[in-house]
Structure formats: structure tokens, C-alpha cells
Amino acid sequence: GAGVSQSPSNKVTEKGKDVELRCDPISGHTALYWYRQSLGQGLEFLIYFQGNSAPDKSGLPSDRFSAERTGGSVSTLTIQRTQQEDSAVYLCASSLAPNQPQHFGDGTRLSIL
Amino acid sequence: AQRVTQPEKLLSVFKGAPVELKCNYSYSGSPELFWYVQYSRQRLQLLLRHISRESIKGFTADLNKGETSFHLKKPFAQEEDSAMYYCALQPGGGADGLTFGKGTHLIIQP
């Protein structure tokens, strides 16, 4: 079956613009995770959804970042007023349940000019 | 807060030699530990988790709670083992994301 799907695979945008990143988890997976991978910081956890709710949003880097999940499936990560330090690969993962192994997508490579 | 440390950014060994990738963690509770691998131009994938106690592709890892370590070992390295390896921790219960180490780039020389 299909794995975790992320779109777009690459996004180049100007500083100050808003961007929306999409994640399609594996069908039936109730838990969904967003991570950011950057050169200086490595892989950092951003936010986790169980169903449609995110119990803890403290991992989001700033209030310009928001995420939602609807219908227990697709999730979007939105970054408003992008800054150059937002340039990174944004990874999504899903798992059957919170204590099960996470399956990762290919990521979205975001470049802010 | 939890932390995962992988002291080696780069590890180069010859084919057929033993490999050990080090991972140390700090966490006050009972964590779940994982090793993830990323081969060139492929997505991050799970290699093994401590609770399953499996050997995957010849790799094993033992959780040592006394030393708070979860080192990854393979007795005889193969060229196809060349990849980035990440050690990761998840708080027990799983209702949280993974905390990753910075990764070790393993190069197997012919």
C-alpha cells in the first residue's frame, strides 16, 4: 500500500510569504507527527496529532507556525510570514497508534529566499 | 526534557569489520528507544526498536539502563550498510514525538 505522502516535494518562496505543507498519512493510522530537519538543528519534533487533536503545541518554533488535521486523515502545516531560518526539510510521519513505530514521508524541502 | 547523544558524526570502517554506533540518552522515565536509518535518496525508515529485541539486517542494539545507552552493533559490515543512522527516544506510552540524536554517517569502505 501507499506510504506517507507529502506535498509539495519542494517549495521555494520569498521571505514574508505564507506557505502550506500537506501530509497524507497511511490509511488507518490514527497518530500523525510533524518534524523539521535542518543543518544546524538536526531532526526536531514539532507537533503530534492523535485523531484530529494536538494535545501539545509547545514544540512549534513560533506563533507563525500552525497545524491542523481534519477527518482524522490529512494534515497541513502552515507557516505565516516566512523567514529565512524557516528553510528546512519538513517531515511528516504516521503510526497506527501512539506507541507504534512511525513511518516517514519523503518530506517537503522549503527554501526561503 | 529528554536528550539523545550520538557522539560520532562520521564513522568509517572497512567491509567485514565490526561496527558499533554509539547512542546515549537522558530521560527520567522509562523510554522507548529506536534506531532509524536513511539510505542515500531514500526516506527515513525504522531499523529496530528495543522492545522487539530483533536483529534486522544483522544489526542488534541492547538497551543498557545503567549506562543509559542503546548502541547499535553489527559484527561484519557490508557496503550496503553505508547510510545515516539516527538514534531516537520516545517517552513511554508513546503520546509524544521522537527525540532524535544528530545522526552518524556510516561509510563502509570496500
Side-chain angles (χ1 to χ4, degrees):
Chain A
V4 176
S5 177
Q6 292 187 246
S7 61
S9 51
N10 280 286
K11 177 74 178 176
V12 181
T13 193
E14 292 178 349
K15 176 181 164 182
K17 301 281 191 190
D18 297 353
V19 295
E20 194 172 274
L21 312 179
R22 178 187 165 105
C23 172
D24 257 295
I26 294 171
S27 177
H29 280 198
T30 64
L32 185 147
Y33 307 80
W34 284 99
Y35 296 86
R36 179 168 73 173
Q37 186 172 28
S38 56
L39 221 53
Q41 300 298 320
L43 273 155
E44 53 178 318
F45 167 64
L46 300 179
I47 192 168
Y48 147 72
F49 287 91
Q50 176 54 37
N52 290 336
S53 59
D56 181 4
K57 300 183 180 180
S58 62
L60 294 174
S62 76
D63 58 9
R64 296 184 294 104
F65 286 70
S66 62
E68 65 173 17
R69 188 179 185 196
T70 53
S73 181
V74 171
S75 176
T76 53
L77 178 70
T78 302
I79 310 173
Q80 295 179 306
R81 304 181 303 282
T82 51
Q83 304 293 312
Q84 287 190 330
E85 62 262 26
D86 299 334
S87 295
V89 176
Y90 289 82
L91 292 170
C92 177
S94 71
S95 63
L96 205 52
N99 61 351
Q100 295 299 307
Q102 295 178 28
H103 300 261
F104 283 79
D106 285 326
T108 293
R109 182 174 296 278
L110 178 64
S111 300
I112 310 300
L113 302 179
Chain B
Q2 56 264 32
R3 176 183 281 186
V4 177
T5 303
Q6 292 179 251
E8 302 131 333
K9 272 188 170 179
L10 175 67
L11 184 63
S12 179
V13 302
F14 286 103
K15 176 181 164 183
V19 172
E20 183 179 49
L21 293 123
K22 291 186 168 47
C23 172
N24 287 90
Y25 67 91
S26 64
Y27 179 63
S28 54
S30 284
E32 291 213 42
L33 275 299
F34 304 83
W35 277 98
Y36 278 81
V37 60
Q38 190 166 28
Y39 300 103
S40 179
R41 289 186 287 278
Q42 293 188 28
R43 60 182 60 182
L44 199 59
Q45 58 186 280
L46 177 68
L47 181 62
L48 52 80
R49 59 192 298 206
H50 87 272
I51 63 168
S52 58
R53 305 182 75 83
E54 293 174 299
S55 172
I56 307 290
K57 299 185 179 184
F59 285 98
T60 58
D62 289 318
L63 179 61
N64 185 323
K65 292 187 178 179
E67 294 182 0
T68 59
S69 68
F70 188 56
H71 303 327
L72 183 68
K73 298 177 185 179
K74 183 168 182 176
F76 307 104
Q78 299 171 288
E79 286 184 69
E80 54 265 33
D81 296 330
S82 295
M84 278 294 295
Y85 289 80
Y86 296 94
C87 183
L89 176 156
Q90 188 173 39
D96 203 349
L98 294 165
T99 298
F100 283 91
K102 294 276 194 291
T104 297
H105 186 188
L106 177 64
I107 297 174
I108 308 301
Q109 299 193 52

